[in-house]
Amino acid sequence: MHETTVLLIELGAVILGLGLVGRLAGRIGLSPIPLYLLAGLAFGKGGLFPLTASEEFISVGSEIGVILLLLLLGLEYSASELVTSLKTQYPSGIVDFLLNALPGAVAALLMGWGPVAAVALAGVTWISSSGVIAKVLTDLGRLGNRETPVILGVLVMEDLSMAVYLPLLTALVAGLGLAGTSVALLVAIGTVGIVLFVALRHGRLISRAVSSDVPEMLLLVVLGLTLLVAGLAQKLQVSAAVGAFLVGIALSGETAKNARSLLSPLRDLFAAVFFVFFGLSTVPADIVPVIVPALILAAVTTVTKIATGSYAAHRAGVALPGRLRAGAGLAARGEFSIVIAGLAAGVDHRLVPLATAYVLIMVIVGPVAARWTEPAVRRFRRLLARSPSSATPEAVPQQTEGAPPAVPR
């Protein structure tokens, strides 16, 4: 009885605290993710108020949070949208991967963390935060801008890539070796292909079978199906998160829309618990030794994301101001970087602290860059145009051979 009482008190305090910091983040116009992480650091080992009774419950809740994050992400897209993006945006996706994954991989190798940690840190620096970026675009009133479809196209490519990357990382972390990793990768690619094919051909039938006019029944069926598929995917070393993502893709139309509205509050609750748990698993003192690498990675990958978005927008024929907005709009990292670091937490004890510091930086830098990069560049170009060195020298009359000298007027 005493343990249950302590559990309820701790959970109540944590959830109430998350609600308060979430409201504070909304007031100051920031994503709540950094505040959730800081709350986790405060409640974890080495923090101000370490939790004891509720840590196991929060651990399970964090797993559900990851599953719901990926399920809701899958519900945002139809199979036809994913296939179209794959056909049209793959050059931008390749550039995005090369420019943003390589800095993380190189940093891990330079620090001597090994190849598996390099793959993990590459994912941390590669994947942008769809949630933070969507909020920033809404807040800035840019949803109707010409560059916004470009930003969304790059995000779709990243999200689809996660369906292959996460199983690869899971297999590497599990130490399956070359043969086991190859099999897991083939299973993941095959599963994604089958789900896309079935969703394209029979998506309406699947949605009709799942659909219900009673919200309670729809919630129970979709949530139960998602957890079941996620568990089976985990058993097959495909990653529970990818299983949830594929369930979301398979549903479409009115069913997907209704499921989104029902599951969004649950997603928000358990996602907040997930960020808190990630903070709980990080000792604040461990962040200090990796703060310099985190700052360097943040600076480098902000520039590379701006370059990525500019390239993608250039391919779409967007003018320079729109290219800058597209690039800066992609800078934020958040939930997926944390998911990746959480999967690879056992590879190196410095990976989670570095990812925590990196996300704390990028989830603040991203919205700032989105708001000010294009105006700052525009102002800089105006200053250059006004500077004396940029003034055109006064034309000197040219004397033609045999002609009398020009007389000034």
Side-chain angles (χ1 to χ4, degrees), residues 17-315:
L18 292 177
L20 293 175
V21 299
R23 290 178 66 179
L24 174 62
R27 291 278 181 87
I28 60 179
L30 282 178
S31 165
I33 293 175
L35 298 183
Y36 293 158
L37 288 172
L38 291 174
L41 291 172
F43 291 129
K45 298 174 183 177
L48 299 175
F49 311 104
L51 299 179
T52 54
S54 59
E55 188 169 356
E56 185 176 349
F57 183 90
I58 291 175
S59 173
V60 176
S62 72
E63 295 286 341
I64 297 174
V66 173
I67 289 169
L68 290 176
L69 274 171
L70 271 294
L71 169 64
L72 268 292
L73 182 66
L75 289 171
E76 292 289 338
Y77 307 125
S78 66
S80 58
E81 288 171 341
L82 288 175
V83 172
T84 301
S85 290
L86 192 60
K87 290 178 179 178
T88 58
Q89 295 286 349
Y90 74 90
S92 301
I94 293 171
V95 170
D96 181 30
F97 171 75
L98 292 175
L99 288 182
N100 297 287
L102 284 179
V106 170
L109 293 175
L110 289 176
M111 290 185 288
W113 292 6
V116 178
V119 173
L121 194 55
V124 169
T125 59
W126 169 26
I127 304 295
S128 298
S129 170
S130 301
V132 175
I133 291 169
K135 185 178 186 307
V136 169
L137 292 176
T138 303
D139 291 346
L140 295 179
R142 294 181 182 174
L143 292 178
N145 283 19
R146 193 180 173 192
E147 73 274 2
T148 298
V150 173
I151 296 173
L152 298 179
V154 173
L155 292 176
V156 170
M157 284 297 300
E158 289 183 352
D159 296 337
L160 190 57
S161 300
M162 289 275 283
V164 177
Y165 170 81
L166 287 179
L168 171 64
L169 179 61
T170 302
L172 290 173
V173 171
L176 297 183
L178 181 61
T181 302
S182 301
V183 170
L185 196 57
L186 289 174
V187 169
I189 295 172
T191 304
V192 173
I194 291 171
V195 169
L196 288 176
F197 176 78
V198 172
L200 282 170
R201 292 294 182 91
H202 308 291
R204 291 183 179 179
L205 293 177
I206 297 171
S207 299
R208 195 178 304 161
V210 172
S211 181
S212 173
D213 294 332
V214 182
E216 178 186 352
M217 296 301 106
L218 178 62
L219 175 63
L220 290 173
V221 170
V222 174
L223 184 58
L225 178 64
T226 302
L227 293 175
L228 177 63
V229 172
L232 292 173
Q234 189 83 1
K235 189 74 173 175
L236 296 172
Q237 299 292 335
V238 175
S239 167
V242 170
F245 180 64
L246 296 178
V247 171
I249 292 173
L251 301 179
S252 60
E254 197 68 23
T255 302
K257 180 181 177 181
N258 293 336
R260 278 200 305 270
S261 64
L262 288 171
L263 288 164
S264 291
L266 275 179
R267 185 269 317 271
D268 295 339
L269 170 62
F270 283 101
V273 171
F274 165 70
F275 292 120
V276 169
F277 178 74
F278 192 83
L280 287 174
S281 61
T282 306
V283 179
D286 291 343
I287 293 179
V288 178
V290 295
I291 193 66
V292 172
L295 286 168
I296 294 172
L297 275 177
V300 171
T301 55
T302 297
V303 174
T304 54
K305 273 293 181 183
I306 291 175
T308 296
S310 298
Y311 169 78
H314 176 71
R315 289 186 67 246

